[in-house]
Amino acid sequence: MARPKIKFVPNKMHVKTGDTVYVISGKDKGKTGKVLQVFTKKGKVVVEGINVVTKHMKPTPMNPQGGVVTKPAPIFSSKVMLFDEKAGKPTKTGFKFVDGKKVRYSKVSGEVL
């Protein structure tokens, strides 16, 4: 019986689609990008311009030329932090209630996200 490849999957994600994030570890450390997709079951996110891989595509009716295509691949959500545009640095997120609604806020600047 094979073991699962993923050792840890978070219960909830700290980032959402459309957030700007800062990469804190790996080959793209220090870069920022926008979250394109979130995979909650795997605990991964796809970030624009981060972890870009080349894929060799065969010619298909959709892509008759084929060739080498570059696209961003998923990375673990623990490797990214939310980036606060106003403070200009990465931040942790907190939750608070504003007018009876639960909202995310930046721990660095205190601004509602």
Side-chain angles (χ1 to χ4, degrees):
M1 189 164 167
R3 289 186 182 165
K5 291 184 179 181
I6 301 171
K7 291 185 177 164
F8 173 76
V9 177
N11 297 358
K12 56 186 179 170
M13 300 293 269
H14 64 285
V15 291
K16 295 181 180 181
T17 305
D19 285 346
T20 304
V21 293
Y22 178 84
V23 181
I24 56 175
S25 70
K27 67 178 184 181
D28 294 317
K29 181 178 178 176
K31 293 182 182 177
T32 59
K34 190 175 182 181
V35 176
L36 302 175
Q37 263 184 311
V38 177
F39 302 108
T40 52
K41 297 221 189 253
K42 294 181 179 179
K44 292 187 174 191
V45 293
V46 176
V47 183
E48 188 177 39
I50 305 296
N51 196 24
V52 177
V53 295
T54 56
K55 187 168 174 66
H56 297 273
M57 302 292 284
K58 275 185 162 181
T60 61
M62 295 281 286
N63 183 11
Q65 185 65 33
V68 181
V69 178
T70 59
K71 65 176 197 171
I75 59 172
F76 277 107
S77 63
S78 62
K79 292 183 177 244
V80 298
M81 270 182 103
L82 196 70
F83 190 77
D84 192 348
E85 303 281 338
K86 293 182 181 173
K89 52 184 166 180
T91 179
K92 288 184 179 181
T93 55
F95 292 95
K96 63 183 175 182
F97 289 92
V98 176
D99 299 329
K101 287 193 172 185
K102 188 176 180 182
V103 294
R104 293 187 306 163
Y105 75 96
S106 165
K107 295 255 183 161
V108 171
S109 65
E111 294 287 323
V112 174
L113 300 170

